[in-house]
Amino acid sequence: MGTVCEMGVVFKLGDEQFEAMVDHKADARPNLVEEMPQETKFILNDKRQGIEVRRLDNEYRRRSCMYDSSEVRKVSDSFEDKADFGILFDIDGVLARGSTPLSAAQQAIRLLEDDEGRLKVPVAFVTNACNRSNDKATQIQKWLNIQVTPNQVIHAPTPARLLTDFHDKHVLVVGQEYKVDIAKDLGFTNVCTIEDVQRAYQLLDMVDHEHRNAVATGSHPDDNTFPPLEAVLLIGEPTHWESHLQLLVDLLLTEGVPNTSHTPKSVADVKQLPVIACNMDLVFMHQACMPRLGHGAFLVCLEALYKKITGRDLEYRALIGKPCEITYRYAEHVIGDVAKNMGITRPIRKLYFVGDNPNVDIVGANLYDRYLKRAWQNRQNGNINEDNDSDHLPVSRSIPKGINLYEQTVRSMESLLVGTGVFKPEETTAGGSPSDDVYHGHRDILHEPELTKPSRFVPDVCYGIQHILKQENFNPCANSAW
């Protein structure tokens, strides 16, 4: 019986030498590792460890230690050659911090490749940020040295592609850079910005004192040719919150036509414009020492103002982005498409989500796992129409009916929480302060603390991938030429 080394143990069967890759929790010591020779791969049939074993054909050029076993069988007998699971990655805090990739992420991706550097597991990237997918795909490619298509990058607004009923309507899009480009890429064909509204109705924005002074003299009639707004698409927090909040409330109270002829007699009777909100994150972690206010904070302000003025809750036609179920359903569709392009014909039966935020990534994964279990229960009860699966969800979180997605085949989702981002395990104690229990989620998502618990905590994404491959009994190299 030998001693565990940093990369595994080495043992002999007869005259042949083998390396066993052990669980990362085992006692590990630094070991001198040189370039490995070409190998033939076997697996040790050890149910306690699930240890992968490589038979060394040539001289093994490293200090070794000994481990005895008599049960060895070929990898091809124990591993499936095609994955029937997919992996979803959050980006910031999991793969990178800001624009700097994490080394653990680069190592993790290597574990998913075969001997020729080809990914053998379908993956996609799910973030609540709001960027152009082409730009983010290019950035991830450089970070991880893999091919990433724009379709594999799911930003907070991306599932709005499914909201086809609004694509031809006159829609106000709120966000920052590239907001119009992003909206058009999602399928919205007739969009305007808050700046367009300001120009059409110059007397509305009085919270901007410079603008107030500018329109204090002269005539500034409304532009009666400006078409009524039919919906609002909030894709991310804007700049100049005060002006946006003022004009958004104006539009909501006038059915999209904020002029004298549409001034409401009673704000309680006004039919509210449809509002689509993407990304409900109250805060996010970047490079500062503390979390920063996110789009969810802007939504809280809008909701509070609307409630204060009308006495009614602001209603959302759709909430999109993590942790809402529509985002994970769309991600399942993307994984199905990636798998098809990889030549995988087996149905994808399971998804894993690797995230850093218990209140967003993990809650969302657990909500979708619950959604899946209810959906498959419906099927077992004879209801085979997927359009009815989201009937139990709040209206704001419902999944549109009749949408063109890959058939739902996933039956469960597991979540892995890493300690490289928002979640800090060293700061989590049983006797935490009362503020630790403050709920930061959106008001349309019920506070269920048990949903913040991941299937497994891992120090970083590399450990997470090791766990997934071990649990799935999957070796990306199993079908390579030896």
Side-chain angles (χ1 to χ4, degrees), residues 240-286:
H240 306 296
W241 286 23
E242 69 289 344
S243 295
H244 279 79
L245 290 169
Q246 173 70 79
L247 270 66
L248 281 168
V249 170
D250 291 336
L251 292 166
L252 292 172
L253 296 181
T254 58
E255 298 185 56
V257 187
N259 61 23
T260 303
S261 62
H262 282 75
T263 302
K265 294 180 180 179
S266 171
V267 294
D269 298 330
V270 177
K271 181 180 178 181
Q272 185 201 298
L273 283 180
V275 177
I276 302 163
C278 314
N279 177 5
M280 289 72 68
D281 291 0
L282 185 73
V283 296
F284 66 96
M285 195 69 192
H286 201 249

